[in-house]
């Protein structure tokens, strides 16, 4: 991409010397325009992985080596795991919310989306993949691909995205990078990757030490090999047109600003947009919501920068439309939208698997801790959560004091409950129940299952098998770990009700 810039500059410079001085200035201006257009190229990538494989630490290393921080003192003040800014994320040591940032490297802007690694927050991954052109699949150099690796990789492959594999933590004494690369290849074959996707580039890295390389035995002293691989391995944004009337911009996230109110985050698929222009929010089969953009931003380092316009391929943040929702398509409303493009298909995510009831606290100790106690307050807060939590579902119940809240798992719902408690809500929480559904084709009732993998010392393998058998699990695979540590690897397929409790009773 950068080489293309230099080639065009050299060609036009040669022509410039061949022309008379009468055409000198106009030709030079034309060269500058060509150069600026090609340098401001952006690549949109999501960093995906299983939990605790080092995604956020790797993103930290990318930040520190792209002049995001003014100096070493500011970098030290920011600390580690900069992207995990929420209190619960730092306390639990996991990423809960997907976040955007942008860095510049060698004239190329890279929009990076840091995603959660836990299966309960898979909705965040599905949401941000709509804004990406490719993914960085981070895999631990010892553990290799894990269940969540399969889930997020499958989503990326189905979208036809190219995958850049990053074997992280190669500095670990027990690292086995060649084994991990083979396992990733096997997983891609199993998931039905195309020939182009299977021919993936591999970079070896240590996010903690800020080093990377194309050979685990010959590592560079910085992350330059990884940056170069991103520029050469991840496809450029595919743009059909940049005409204003063809604007298509799928909203994938919602943010809030104390001064500007509700803000939408979206990737411009086609067309271009300007601050102040009349626009509409559309979804197939729904009436349009019209308005005017009051502010337009692009991501810049860890924050955002206000701009006057943006074109296809860029990820933007905008304000002025208070009724914006995830899944809306931003289209032009110039001339009443007579020549506007069709809305894009809304974001589709996996269905919830676990349901809990949240309601008014009616215990004898009610009112002693929280300040938001009424049913109306709880209801408003739960439905507000739906604005940005696409994998959550809230329903009314027969009781006016209780609401059924469905999510991807117990952790997904637990984080919501803890967030509300810290905000001052006082709740009565019901036990988790598994969501069953009827297959429309067969008419049979189906339930969600979990893929479980356990690494345990050989002497405890029997106890683990007994534990899962009592919870209606089905043994999928069992064997010794190839790492030579006398560890057994046990893989089970177990119903979600077995993970909730071994005494679980069908709610109906």
């Amino acid at each position: 991409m950068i080489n293309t810039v230099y080639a065009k500059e050299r060609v036009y410079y040669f022509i410039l010397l061949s022309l008379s001085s009468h055409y000198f200035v106009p030709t030079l201006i034309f060269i500058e325009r060509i150069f600026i257009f090609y340098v401001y190229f952006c690549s949109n990538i999501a960093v995906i992985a299983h939990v605790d494989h080092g995604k956020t630490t790797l993103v930290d290393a990318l930040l520190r080596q792209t002049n995001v921080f003014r100096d070493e003192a500011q970098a030290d003040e920011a600390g580690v795991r900069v992207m995990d800014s929420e209190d619960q994320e730092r306390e639990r040591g996991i990423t809960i919310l997907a976040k955007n940032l942008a860095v510049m490297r060698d004239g190329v802007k890279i929009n990076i989306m840091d995603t959660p690694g836990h299966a309960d927050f898979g909705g965040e991954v599905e949401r941000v993949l709509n804004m990406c052109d490719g993914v960085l699949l981070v895999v631990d150099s010892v553990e290799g691909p894990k269940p969540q690796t399969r889930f997020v990789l499958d989503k990326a492959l189905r979208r036809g995205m190219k995958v850049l594999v990053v074997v992280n933590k190669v500095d670990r004494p027990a690292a086995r990078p060649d084994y991990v690369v083979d396992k990733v290849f096997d997983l891609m074959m199993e998931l039905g990757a195309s020939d182009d996707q299977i021919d993936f580039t591999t970079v070896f890295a240590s996010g903690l030490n800020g080093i990377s390389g194309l050979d685990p035995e010959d590592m560079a002293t910085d992350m330059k090999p990884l940056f170069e691989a991103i520029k050469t391995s991840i496809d450029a944004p595919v743009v059909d047109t940049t005409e204003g009337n063809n604007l298509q911009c799928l909203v994938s996230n919602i943010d809030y600003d104390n001064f500007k109110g509700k803000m939408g985050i979206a990737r411009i698929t086609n067309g271009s947009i300007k601050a102040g222009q009349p626009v509409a929010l559309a979804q197939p089969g729904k009436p349009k919501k019209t308005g005017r953009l009051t502010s337009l931003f692009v991501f810049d380092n860890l924050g955002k920068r206000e701009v006057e316009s943006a074109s296809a391929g860029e990820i933007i943040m905008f304000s002025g439309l208070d009724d914006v929702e995830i899944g809306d398509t931003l289209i032009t409303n110039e001339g009443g939208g007579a020549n506007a493009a069709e809305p894009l298909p809304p974001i589709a995510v996996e269905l919830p698997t676990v349901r809990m009831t949240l309601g008014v606290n009616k215990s004898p100790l009610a009112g002693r801790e929280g300040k938001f106690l009424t049913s109306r307050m709880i209801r408003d807060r739960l439905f507000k959560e739906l604005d940005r939590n696409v994998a959550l579902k809230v329903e009314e119940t027969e009781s006016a004091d209780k609401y059924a809240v469905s999510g991807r798992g117990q952790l997904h719902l637990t984080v919501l409950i803890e967030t509300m408690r810290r905000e001052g809500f006082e709740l009565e929480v019901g036990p988790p129940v598994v969501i069953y559904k009827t297959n429309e084709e067969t008419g049979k009732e189906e339930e969600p299952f979990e893929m479980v993998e356990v690494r345990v010392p050989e002497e405890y393998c029997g106890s683990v098998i007994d534990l899962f058998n009592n919870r209606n699990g089905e043994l999928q695979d069992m064997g010794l770990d190839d790492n030579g540590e006398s560890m057994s690897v046990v893989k089970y397929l177990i119903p979600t009700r077995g993970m909730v409790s071994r005494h679980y009773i069908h709610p109906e």
Side-chain angles (χ1 to χ4, degrees), residues 13 16 25 29 75 87 103 111 119 169 193 196 206 226 230 247 259 272 297 318-319 343 350 396 442-443 481:
Y13 190 65
L16 176 66
V25 174
I29 293 174
D87 290 341
V103 297
N111 285 310
K169 304 184 182 182
D196 200 28
S206 170
L226 179 54
I230 291 173
L247 174 65
F259 301 100
S272 59
F297 302 88
F318 60 89
S319 64
E350 296 284 341
E396 307 273 1
T442 64
D481 193 354

Side-chain angles (χ1 to χ4, degrees), residues 433-502:
V433 296
V434 173
I435 299 174
Y436 292 79
K437 72 172 185 177
T438 302
N439 189 311
E440 296 181 356
E441 297 181 359
T442 64
K444 295 182 178 180
E445 189 178 58
E446 297 178 343
E447 64 176 323
F449 274 73
E450 313 279 352
M451 178 66 75
V452 182
E453 181 177 316
V454 181
R455 294 178 72 249
V456 64
E458 285 186 73
E459 59 266 29
Y460 301 110
C461 187
S463 299
V464 170
I465 292 174
D466 185 57
L467 176 68
F468 284 123
N469 286 339
N470 288 335
R471 293 171 179 259
N472 294 330
E474 295 180 6
L475 181 64
Q476 303 294 302
D477 191 17
M478 181 177 66
L480 292 177
D481 193 354
D482 295 334
N483 204 25
E485 296 182 356
S486 298
M487 299 285 285
S488 293
V489 179
V490 183
K491 296 182 181 180
Y492 262 85
L493 189 64
I494 184 170
T496 301
R497 58 187 167 89
M499 298 297 291
V500 171
S501 170
R502 69 187 182 94

Side-chain angles (χ1 to χ4, degrees), residues 43-45 47 59-60 62-64 66 68 82-83 98-104 109-115 298-304 314-315:
S43 180
N44 305 312
I45 59 173
V47 186
V59 172
D60 275 358
L62 298 179
L63 285 172
R64 292 173 184 272
T66 48
V68 169
V82 178
M83 297 304 294
K99 304 173 189 70
N100 294 67
L101 71 147
V103 297
M104 290 292 294
K109 181 178 181 181
I110 306 175
N111 285 310
I112 302 174
M113 280 134 276
D114 186 23
T115 65
V298 295
F299 287 93
D300 185 23
N301 294 338
L302 294 173
K304 56 183 182 291
E314 181 63 276
I315 296 176

Side-chain angles (χ1 to χ4, degrees), residues 258-326:
N258 292 331
F259 301 100
K260 298 186 181 297
K262 198 173 182 180
M263 304 182 71
I265 300 175
R267 182 252 179 88
I268 306 177
T269 303
N270 286 308
S272 59
I273 192 170
K274 296 179 181 179
Q277 82 171 67
V279 294
L281 296 169
Q283 285 197 34
K286 294 185 179 180
K288 292 194 299 185
K289 299 171 284 187
T290 60
R292 186 179 295 270
L293 294 188
T294 57
S295 301
L296 182 65
F297 302 88
V298 295
F299 287 93
D300 185 23
N301 294 338
L302 294 173
K304 56 183 182 291
R305 172 170 53 87
E306 190 164 6
V307 295
E308 289 298 319
S309 63
S311 297
E314 181 63 276
I315 296 176
I316 62 170
M317 179 184 289
F318 60 89
S319 64
L321 303 169
D322 291 335
D323 49 358
V324 60
E325 300 176 359
I326 292 177

Side-chain angles (χ1 to χ4, degrees), residues 9 12-13 16 26-36:
E9 186 182 23
Y12 282 98
Y13 190 65
L16 176 66
T27 310
L28 180 60
I29 293 174
F30 183 63
I31 288 174
E32 288 177 348
R33 288 178 179 173
I34 292 291
F35 186 77
I36 291 172

Side-chain angles (χ1 to χ4, degrees), residues 383-407:
F383 279 94
K384 181 181 178 182
E385 183 71 17
L386 298 180
D387 285 344
R388 60 187 304 175
N389 199 333
V390 294
L392 199 71
K393 187 176 181 181
V394 179
E395 300 170 298
E396 307 273 1
T397 64
E398 296 180 357
S399 172
D401 296 332
K402 293 182 180 180
Y403 303 93
V405 183
S406 306

